[in-house]
Amino acid sequence: MIWTVLIAVYGALIAIGGIIGYTKARSRDSLLVGLSSGVALLFAAYVTSTTLGNRIGALLFAALIAITLAIFFSFRWRVTRKFMPAGLMMILSTVATIAFAAGFVINWVSALDPRSY
């Protein structure tokens, strides 16, 4: 349950950030990447609410999206040296990557536990 909420909140923030980037800077790239990443993360949040096997894959998928965004925003922050939005999104995406990776490991280990069968 907690993973579903965390992924959904992160996905909504990414989608909203893409919309804000479009309205402020008329950046179609921000809109496209923000909305597509947000929708993919919201789909991953939906999948985490299903069976354990799907939850593990969805957490891995969410972690891969988050690490991709963290790398992208770290390069943007290096180029622009502006904390908003690149620095903030880099930090948020790094924290999300760590959280989703931890969720993946926790769920994967619990799936390997023979008492769970």
Side-chain angles (χ1 to χ4, degrees):
M1 173 68 180
I2 187 72
W3 305 114
T4 304
V5 173
L6 289 175
I7 295 171
V9 167
Y10 178 64
L13 288 174
I14 293 296
I16 291 168
I19 294 168
I20 291 171
Y22 178 74
T23 58
K24 291 209 178 235
R26 294 289 177 215
S27 172
R28 290 184 191 155
D29 292 340
S30 291
L31 183 65
L32 180 65
V33 171
L35 285 180
S36 61
S37 297
V39 167
L41 286 162
L42 290 173
F43 176 73
Y46 168 74
V47 172
T48 58
S49 65
T50 62
T51 63
L52 179 62
N54 291 337
R55 186 178 314 132
I56 293 169
L59 282 164
L60 180 61
F61 181 63
L64 291 174
I65 293 172
I67 197 167
T68 302
L69 291 172
I71 291 168
F72 171 77
F73 283 116
S74 67
F75 284 127
R76 290 287 297 160
W77 188 37
R78 178 181 276 181
V79 170
T80 64
R81 289 289 178 199
K82 293 181 181 178
F83 183 73
M84 286 298 288
L88 178 67
M89 291 307 296
M90 179 196 66
I91 292 170
L92 179 66
S93 295
T94 302
V95 169
T97 300
I98 293 167
F100 302 155
F104 169 76
V105 170
I106 290 167
N107 282 280
W108 182 60
V109 168
S110 70
L112 295 176
D113 186 11
R115 291 175 288 176
S116 65
Y117 294 108

